[in-house]
Amino acid sequence: MNTLKIRSAIFLSLYIISISVIQSAEPAAPVPAKATRTSNRGPESVELKFKLPPPPVLSPEAALKTFKVQKGFKIELVAFEPMIESPVAMSWDDQGRLYVVEMRGYMNDVNAKGEDQPIGRIKRLEDTNGDGIMDKATVFVDKLLMPRSVTTLGDGALVAEPPNLTFYHDTDGDGVADKNEVVAGSFGSAGGQPEHMANSMTWCMDNWIWGAGYGQRLRYSKGKFISDATRSGGQWGLTQDDWGRRYFNYNSDFLRTDLLPPSIYARNPNLTDRTALNYQVMKDQATWPSVPTPGVNRGYTDKQLRADGTLAVATATCGASIYRGGLFGKDYEGNAFIPEPAGNLVKRLILSETGGVVTAKNAASGAEFLTSTDERFRPVNTYNGPDGALYIVDMARGIIQHKFFLTHYLIANIESRGLEQPVNLGRIYRIVPENTKTQSVKLPQEASAVVPFLSHENGHIRDTAQRVLVERADTTTFEAIKKLAQEAKSPQARAQALWTLEGLNALTPELLTTLLHDGHEKVRGTAARLSNFILVPELLKMIEDSNAEVRVQLALQLSAQNTAEAQQAVFALLKKGGSPLLNEAIVSGLRGRELEFIQALLKEPAGDKDTSVASGLLQMLAGCVMNERRGVRVSQLLELAANQTLESPRQIALLNGMAGTPLDKAAKAQPRKMLYLEAQPGTLVALTNTIKSASSKKLLATIDKALAWPDKPGVPPPPVIVPLTVEQQALADKGKIIYAGLCAACHQPTGAGLDGLAPPLLDSDWVLGTAEHPIKIILHGMSGPVVVAGRTWQLEMPPLPQFTDADIAGVLTYLRREWEHNASPVSPDDVAKVRAANKTRTKAWTADELKKPAVKK
């Protein structure tokens, strides 16, 4: 610990100055207080509920004494100021060197002073003497404006500095980047709102580099990048488990995941039931800090703080990790460790899986894995390390909320308790079992010597070995990797070897055939996912597989094959059931064939338990036919419904699907966009005259409202869509690019929104009504409850002041003409007028202020 003691002495001068500042601060206000700014959120007149003294600024050694960690573990310092300042993210290279993002421009005071200055850095840290403490720091890249992510790659690192993703190379190995190339220019926006922009670029097991909240994924091999549009959830942080499933979270939501790959939904845009995406793994959002935590943004509400002043529910959670280090013991493998910086804690969740569905529970009731009494302990990210330890990135400061979301309550708390300074601290900790000596693993330079590391017990090492092998693409390693895929003792290693071969484009039908019959279900599922049409005969042999998740993978593959044999196999998989993911797996592969699949299903005998109805598949398929919006096929679907036994389960399922009834009974039905037919369907009239029950008549009435035909009473003629001019189309094209890079991560490429975060834009009156409303929202943000498509959202839409008039006009013109929208375009002059009329406004809009949205035009 000599290194720690020497460097703590360096900290002493900063520590003494900070303490003197804190000791001179006024005591916490016991009476109503008001923030000094008027542009903030929440009630302007606030009362600080808890009369706590200003927290002292602690040295790194003193901070260690404030921790309470679960029995059997210890926490150690790895790096701290002045070696690092304001760390927010990090990435290990294959030699055990640590690249750290320093977001030094973030919230240097309540007005975000310095946020527009390029003072951010990427540092490379090294432990040269093997004592576990970083003792050498090199500035890899500096003069960055609010950098957000670093990902080690090849001879350098991929760095996110909005709006660019830049690959920085260190060609001479001195730790300083000397060459760079911009890989993508759509990674958020320069000067944009930092709490809601893409981050955490991570090389995942599928050989794609994914980011949280980023609408693209990248693939890197042989020195080249390719990109692919996708949907990626999360607000800050990204991690994966041993099988490549990605996990993420949002400030008030501990853990979510995509149970199925987003790419499968791109196969069928008619499928709007996408329950496997952004799936909430943890329902309970309760937190249990060890001390009162009054300095939270909505501390003035009854629900945010308990009577004792501790944080009741998550409000700033981020940076989750799935532990895969192999050091903690079997009970901890696959657990989620999640920071909550507002609560000064790290939570541990135990995950379990059934039929491909992951759920979580707290590891302990009323307690957390790690807590601190230091109010400046701000864990914002966690990582697995090359030594098997769990690493924690501590931003170490008083203010973590960005100025756009600061409430009057929180500012009053910050100012009265001296939390604004200092801002130049930063620590990285690691957690290890007691009485354990760790050793960081470095990968060898020879590619053939890297292959055995694919079977290392530490998942981080396996991931790094995979990345290095795919980067180098050395053909001499292929046979050794194939052998490992078949013979490795652990199923994790066999699956990792399969994905490595996929990244090397070296998979063979023979190898996949062998592993389709592996003894472990996760390996069989991986092999099924990586199979193509050549292996359909082998996949057909597997429909009796005992594992439900494997059967879901089979359904994903076989539903896309338009053959009688594949269709019968899918019917068999449906009858076997076992997973709620099965329906979406099947329908995702049926684009344009949903009606024909319904016809085939209806020919199957219903039996005692009609799985086509009980599973919800028939209803989902009928909904897809309606979403396809082809009048002839909708009329055919009505005929099929009319030909079923009157008010039988099958007929009711078809009508529910056509009416848009949600499969989730807790969800609210959304009205369908009107579809114009050539003539009134006679079958609709016949059904209306024969159906007797009130519930069925209600379904028919809902379907009737969604359909129009010539001379139907009360229905206007189809809207006349005025084509965009060349100039307007150019604006819309620019808006499409901006939307994909900045907006789609939350509102989604389809405009369908994201549960728990962003309301839908599709068919929204807030988008399609008077253009003044969305212009105001983009310029100044929107806060508080807002009703969108019949559902109330508690919205915190950040302002986007960096957008030009042309940017805003382009985005809105795109939104008002995309997804069959036909609203009028928006011009830069329209935006300029609204901007000028509200130039003195500093607060976010509320729905009440904007009034009810105007009728679509």
Side-chain angles (χ1 to χ4, degrees), residues 605-624:
D608 295 335
K609 183 181 179 181
D610 190 347
T611 52
S612 68
V613 174
S615 67
L617 180 62
L618 204 55
Q619 180 175 331
M620 183 180 288
L621 288 165
C624 287

Side-chain angles (χ1 to χ4, degrees), residues 183-455:
V183 173
S186 59
F187 201 84
S189 61
Q193 209 294 314
E195 287 194 31
H196 291 278
M197 280 201 295
N199 59 88
S200 304
M201 295 300 284
T202 304
W203 183 301
C204 293
M205 202 174 293
D206 63 0
N207 298 300
W208 287 92
I209 303 172
W210 293 77
Y214 187 42
Q216 298 282 322
R217 58 178 182 168
L218 304 176
R219 197 172 179 108
Y220 177 73
S221 181
K222 298 181 180 179
K224 295 182 179 180
F225 288 91
I226 61 172
S227 65
D228 177 46
T230 189
R231 174 225 161 271
S232 183
Q235 188 169 348
W236 184 266
L238 189 66
T239 187
Q240 68 175 346
D241 63 17
D242 278 342
W243 316 107
R245 178 178 282 136
R246 291 169 295 105
Y247 293 82
F248 42 87
N249 55 21
Y250 303 94
N251 282 169
S252 300
D253 197 329
F254 275 116
L255 197 63
R256 290 194 176 232
T257 189
D258 290 335
L259 298 173
L260 293 175
S263 58
I264 69 114
Y265 293 94
R267 305 189 302 179
N268 191 353
N270 299 328
L271 175 59
T272 55
D273 294 285
R274 302 183 174 195
T275 59
L277 296 184
N278 199 42
Y279 181 82
Q280 189 177 44
V281 177
M282 181 61 175
K283 307 295 183 184
D284 182 4
Q285 307 302 327
T287 63
W288 302 97
S290 56
V291 292
T293 54
V296 297
N297 209 29
R298 296 178 187 85
Y300 54 85
T301 67
D302 294 334
K303 296 181 179 180
Q304 197 69 73
L305 297 177
R306 297 187 180 89
D308 62 0
T310 58
L311 184 68
V313 292
T315 186
T317 189
C318 52
S321 282
I322 303 299
Y323 181 73
R324 306 167 58 212
L327 186 68
F328 286 10
K330 184 178 179 181
D331 290 344
Y332 294 84
E333 288 296 315
N335 287 188
F337 291 87
I338 309 170
E340 216 311 346
N344 319 119
L345 61 86
V346 175
K347 179 179 284 289
R348 174 188 167 212
L349 300 179
I350 298 174
L351 275 55
S352 58
E353 183 177 350
T354 303
V357 177
V358 183
T359 56
K361 65 178 182 179
N362 283 300
S365 178
E368 304 292 1
F369 179 76
L370 175 71
T371 61
S372 173
T373 58
D374 178 11
E375 200 165 340
R376 288 182 176 80
F377 172 57
R378 303 298 197 182
V380 295
N381 245 319
T382 55
Y383 298 88
N384 290 277
D387 55 357
L390 177 71
Y391 282 75
I392 300 170
V393 178
D394 175 16
M395 205 173 182
R397 51 172 40 238
I399 304 177
I400 53 173
Q401 187 77 60
H402 190 260
K403 68 175 182 178
F404 284 138
F405 298 108
L406 280 173
T407 60
H408 292 283
Y409 170 87
L410 183 51
I411 290 182
N413 205 300
I414 290 167
E415 293 177 345
S416 70
R417 302 185 59 239
L419 290 171
E420 199 169 29
Q421 297 296 325
V423 293
N424 57 353
L425 310 182
R427 288 97 191 249
I428 296 174
Y429 299 96
R430 67 176 174 186
I431 295 179
V432 295
E434 291 179 337
N435 304 315
T436 299
K437 186 176 181 180
T438 62
Q439 181 66 47
S440 184
V441 175
K442 299 180 181 180
L443 295 187
Q445 296 300 316
E446 191 70 31
S448 60
V450 174
V451 175
F453 287 88
L454 290 172
S455 60

Side-chain angles (χ1 to χ4, degrees), residues 401-696:
Q401 187 77 60
H402 190 260
K403 68 175 182 178
F404 284 138
F405 298 108
L406 280 173
T407 60
H408 292 283
Y409 170 87
L410 183 51
I411 290 182
N413 205 300
I414 290 167
E415 293 177 345
S416 70
R417 302 185 59 239
L419 290 171
E420 199 169 29
Q421 297 296 325
V423 293
N424 57 353
L425 310 182
R427 288 97 191 249
I428 296 174
Y429 299 96
R430 67 176 174 186
I431 295 179
V432 295
E434 291 179 337
N435 304 315
T436 299
K437 186 176 181 180
T438 62
Q439 181 66 47
S440 184
V441 175
K442 299 180 181 180
L443 295 187
Q445 296 300 316
E446 191 70 31
S448 60
V450 174
V451 175
F453 287 88
L454 290 172
S455 60
H456 198 279
E457 64 175 354
N458 184 342
H460 167 82
I461 298 299
R462 295 197 302 273
D463 291 349
T464 306
Q466 175 183 338
R467 173 179 64 79
V468 168
L469 288 167
V470 172
E471 284 176 358
R472 296 179 185 175
D474 187 336
T475 57
T476 64
T477 64
F478 290 6
E479 291 305 315
I481 300 172
K482 290 176 183 177
K483 183 178 180 181
L484 191 146
Q486 298 174 81
E487 300 178 3
K489 291 183 179 180
S490 77
Q492 288 90 340
R494 299 197 295 276
Q496 196 104 35
L498 268 178
W499 279 114
T500 305
L501 291 168
E502 189 275 342
L504 293 166
N505 197 27
L507 285 172
T508 63
E510 295 77 17
L511 177 64
L512 286 169
T513 298
T514 298
L515 292 175
L516 284 171
H517 304 285
D518 190 271
H520 196 279
E521 64 274 9
K522 289 290 187 180
V523 180
R524 296 198 304 277
T526 301
R529 179 178 171 183
L530 292 173
S531 296
N532 58 26
F533 68 94
I534 296 174
L535 288 167
V536 166
E538 291 298 325
L539 298 176
L540 291 171
K541 299 175 185 177
M542 296 177 64
I543 59 174
E544 294 299 324
D545 195 284
S546 60
N547 182 264
E549 189 179 4
V550 173
R551 297 197 299 272
V552 168
Q553 292 297 329
L554 293 173
L556 283 168
Q557 293 282 12
L558 295 173
S559 65
Q561 307 302 317
N562 191 11
T563 67
E565 295 84 0
Q567 182 172 274
Q568 286 302 312
V570 172
F571 289 167
L573 292 169
L574 177 65
K575 290 176 182 178
K576 202 166 183 66
S579 172
L581 305 178
L582 197 57
N583 282 358
E584 292 174 36
I586 292 171
V587 179
S588 70
L590 294 174
R591 181 180 186 179
R593 296 187 289 122
E594 297 95 339
L595 182 63
E596 291 72 20
F597 201 85
I598 290 173
Q599 292 169 333
L601 268 179
L602 294 175
K603 292 177 182 178
E604 294 286 303
D608 295 335
K609 183 181 179 181
D610 190 347
T611 52
S612 68
V613 174
S615 67
L617 180 62
L618 204 55
Q619 180 175 331
M620 183 180 288
L621 288 165
C624 287
V625 176
M626 292 294 287
N627 294 336
E628 191 180 14
R629 297 185 58 77
R630 293 173 59 187
V632 172
R633 292 173 69 80
V634 170
S635 296
Q636 291 174 337
L637 180 59
L638 275 168
E639 288 181 17
L640 280 175
N643 291 334
Q644 304 307 303
T645 302
L646 192 63
E647 300 198 66
S648 64
R650 287 185 169 184
Q651 186 180 70
I652 299 302
L654 291 171
L655 294 179
N656 269 310
M658 296 186 74
T661 306
L663 285 164
D664 181 359
K665 291 181 172 56
K668 187 173 182 178
Q670 303 301 321
R672 290 195 179 279
K673 184 181 295 185
M674 187 168 287
L675 175 64
Y676 286 83
L677 307 178
E678 292 184 358
Q680 182 179 16
T683 48
L684 182 60
V685 176
L687 280 168
T688 303
N689 291 334
T690 55
I691 278 181
K692 303 299 182 184
S693 73
S695 59
S696 298

